[in-house]
Amino acid sequence: MFSLVPTCKGRHVSKFLPSLRLSCQLFSAATNTLQFSSDGFANENKNDDIDLLFQSCTNVHHAKQLHAFLVVSGKVQNIFLSARLVNRYAYLGDVSLSRITFDLIPRKDVYTWNSMVSAYVRSGHFREAIDCFSQFLLTSGLRPDFYTFPPVLKACQNLVDGKRIHCQILKLGFEWDVFVAASLVHLYSRFGFVGIACRLFDEMPIRDVGSWNAMISGFCQNGNAADALDVLIEMRSDGVKMDRVTATSLLTACAQSGDILSGMLIHLYVIKHGLDFDLLICNALINMYSKFGSLGHARRIFDQMDIRDLVSWNSIIAAYEQNDDPMTALGLFYSMQLLGIQPDFLTLVSLASILAQLSDAAKSRSVHGFILRRDFFVQDVVIGNAVVDMYAKLGAIYSARTVFEGLPIKDVISWNTLITGYAQNGLASEAIEVYRMMQEYKEIIPNHGTWVSILPAYTSVGALQQGMKIHGRVIKNCLDLDVFVGTCLIDMYAKCGRLDDALLLFSQVPRKSAIPWNAVISSHGVHGHGEKALKLFKDMLDEGVKPDHVTFVSLLSACSHSGLVDEGQSYFHMMQEQYRIKPNLKHYGCMVDLLGRAGHLNKAYSFIDNMPVRPDASVWGALLGACRIHGNVDLGRIASERLFEVDSENVGYYVLLSNIYANSGKWEGVEKVRSLARNRGLSKTPGWSSIEVNNNVDVFYTANQSHPKCQEIYQKLSDLTAKMKSLGYVPDFSFVLQDVEDDEKEHILNSHSERLAIAFGLISTPPKTPIRIFKNLRDGACSCGDYW
């Protein structure tokens, strides 16, 4: 960039600049050919010439040449110029040269010390900045000024250091300097002490726009978006105008609080005052609109930007990634690459999520390799957590665990991510084991994300007592009113059969969003209380809560499990016409299930034929399940053929078709399906039943012989069977879908996993104790007519 430097008026400097631009050797080697007269800089332009030289240094090599020139010309003795060298080296990213230069200054003044502290802070060497400040106080004999403290306060990585420096500020009488006071507001806000920050702010005798920005930013950092907006109102009443920093902080606050109206008003203010092309503000606007799901607005802002930096690209890629449009997000990433912009670790966090959404295992491994080559795992724990999450969502839980084990640093989010990964892959026991391991690390403090991760795992195995312990910890940590934790608790109590407790919790959590409503509607649906689910939906609308796509999945599922066909069809149309929600495959699957369970198999098949999108396995699976319930072999065969085209690896579909044949006595068909599954290397998921006794979850498989109380369990079963037969019980062999003799069928029935779990519960609990059995597979028939 030296060709852009204007020609200097000084004759000798104009000769020096081309040499500085072209030379690749140390400047000291050229001192014999470049002679400067004593009056070369003794003119009115000497300061301008020096300024140009500093501005021309765009890399460390050029800075070294300038340094050499200052040494040979004797100018390095000027403390001001030496301090500028300290700052220039730090600006160019080499703080070690800043320190060497600083140490060579014989008589340091306050400005020099401030420069070195600032150099450390600017380079992210915060501990060194604090040590340098301490050295300044102990060895220099100088008195810090108000320029000393803002960078030192920024360097504080714990509140102890911050309070110590605050005491120094009070001792020296700088507490009401506008810059120092604003830095103190930042400090206390950063460590979560917003009350102290607010008190300091209120006591400030003079406030500039930076002071107001510090307080607004403090509230935003601590999730107090409403208070940040209140400070804005107070700021405007004092006649202080927003600047780019104010607008950026407030746009972030609006995104946090979901306040789209205030966000759009700030956007209008930005346009009115000519700030709409400011890079920082545009990036904040993209982020805000993406949080509101307004991708059109976010994209228009991005497309209209004259200048885009890496943050701009990261923001727009994340916008599409977080709003379930991974293909567009991936396309933007490729566009960024074509422009030669190198990704940072935040880009790769988004990319990992994108590829997980697209189920692209090959590209995911490439991203992992790129991260390893760049050593990004060491830079920030966030990228490691993203890769663990990526593999878990791809179903590669072993790879997720391997990455987790190799992370150099693990925070609470790392543990939460692995727990969630196991739970979402149907490995609840492993999720619980990881949670127990996490508890051994006392420095890892569980947060609301931990409870949201582990509660579904306890729910999956029916560990009600363990879930209730978590509930106790949640209350102790004042998180019981958190909408996400509360929703998980509602789901747990409902699925463990405690629907009244679920409703009680629902009445206590905030109900302004659709999230808790969806949970309680779904809970009543799976228990077969369809009418109650519909009543809750009406209450939801009466309270002004807008339903989302998940609401209608829960609602349609509730109608399906209760045989409410007309109501389900009505809600399917309402979703599209009244709420403009485009049905996805889950909604279509629910409609097929609704019609199929009610016996309208031909209507269900016709519905699939008329779908505007290609049916996936869940849609055909719903039809196949309905064919099993109603014994329609011909349509079941058609549904299975379509299923095997879209998902040939799911053994459950082979089992369903096999059971359809078995129910019809077509054993040749049964053997053909089983042979097909075996040839494809598939094996049936073993059915199990679990029961929680004395805070332990025991799992039983059919004909289980490994339990410590095996003999007692089978003896109890034998006693119960004898009593049942004496009362007229006759075994129903229709549920044994195997071509074997009757005595073998009776043995299979007696050793069913659910019977084993019940027998264990009876011998392990006091009389009249409720027994709750959890099963991983559905079999047999229910009194609800298989509508549940």
Side-chain angles (χ1 to χ4, degrees), residues 204-248:
M204 289 174 69
I206 300 172
R207 300 175 189 147
D208 64 358
V209 68
S211 312
W212 289 97
N213 289 344
M215 195 65 253
I216 290 171
S217 174
F219 279 125
C220 293
Q221 285 176 17
N222 288 275
N224 299 339
D227 290 330
L229 292 170
D230 287 342
V231 174
L232 170 65
I233 295 169
E234 187 182 348
M235 172 182 172
R236 296 189 69 183
S237 68
D238 273 15
V240 181
K241 291 184 178 180
M242 284 195 290
D243 64 3
R244 60 197 294 266
V245 179
T246 322
T248 303

Side-chain angles (χ1 to χ4, degrees), residues 143-158:
R143 184 178 186 270
D145 61 14
F146 50 80
Y147 290 114
T148 308
F149 290 101
V152 175
L153 289 168
K154 185 178 180 180
C156 293
Q157 295 301 290
N158 59 71

Side-chain angles (χ1 to χ4, degrees), residues 254 332 402 437:
C254 293
L332 285 162
T402 303
M437 288 172 55

Side-chain angles (χ1 to χ4, degrees), residues 507-523:
S507 68
Q508 295 170 354
V509 300
R511 300 194 300 273
K512 293 182 180 179
S513 73
I515 296 169
W517 288 97
N518 296 344
V520 77
I521 290 170
S522 174
S523 297

Side-chain angles (χ1 to χ4, degrees), residues 268-286:
L268 287 172
Y269 179 94
V270 162
I271 294 170
K272 182 179 178 181
H273 290 80
L275 296 170
D276 48 323
F277 289 102
D278 180 90
L279 180 62
L280 194 67
I281 289 176
C282 286
N283 291 341
L285 283 167
I286 292 169

Side-chain angles (χ1 to χ4, degrees), residues 668-774:
E668 289 182 3
V670 171
E671 183 53 37
K672 183 178 179 181
V673 173
R674 290 178 178 174
S675 176
L676 181 63
R678 282 195 300 269
N679 292 338
R680 291 180 175 175
L682 305 176
S683 58
K684 180 180 179 294
T685 303
W688 55 257
S689 300
S690 69
I691 181 172
E692 185 184 26
V693 176
N694 297 326
N695 292 327
N696 289 317
V697 176
D698 286 83
V699 178
F700 294 88
Y701 295 88
T702 297
N704 188 297
Q705 299 283 336
S706 61
H707 196 277
K709 292 189 177 182
C710 177
Q711 290 186 350
E712 297 173 61
I713 290 169
Y714 279 99
Q715 182 60 52
K716 186 66 176 178
L717 276 178
S718 178
D719 295 344
L720 286 171
T721 303
K723 288 181 180 179
M724 289 162 60
K725 285 185 175 181
S726 70
L727 295 172
Y729 164 71
V730 178
D732 185 352
F733 297 147
S734 66
F735 292 111
V736 181
L737 303 178
Q738 297 181 37
D739 189 15
V740 294
E741 297 299 325
D742 285 355
D743 58 343
E744 180 63 20
K745 289 181 179 179
E746 183 170 357
H747 174 72
I748 291 170
L749 283 176
N750 285 337
S751 59
H752 190 279
S753 67
E754 190 171 6
R755 291 195 182 201
L756 296 176
I758 291 172
F760 175 70
L762 289 171
I763 66 173
S764 304
T765 59
K768 298 185 179 180
T769 302
I771 294 177
R772 294 181 180 85
I773 308 297
F774 261 68

Side-chain angles (χ1 to χ4, degrees), residues 35 130 159 162 177 196 199 235 276 322 388-389 422 475 488 516 588 592 633-634 699 769 774:
Q35 301 295 323
I130 297 294
L159 196 57
D177 175 81
I196 297 175
R199 188 167 66 249
M235 172 182 172
D276 48 323
Q322 292 168 7
V388 173
D389 182 62
Y422 274 121
I475 293 172
C488 287
Y588 287 118
V592 172
V633 178
D634 294 333
V699 178
T769 302
F774 261 68

Side-chain angles (χ1 to χ4, degrees), residues 257-273:
S257 62
D259 189 347
I260 190 168
L261 178 60
S262 295
M264 295 182 79
L265 288 172
I266 293 166
H267 191 181
L268 287 172
Y269 179 94
V270 162
I271 294 170
K272 182 179 178 181
H273 290 80

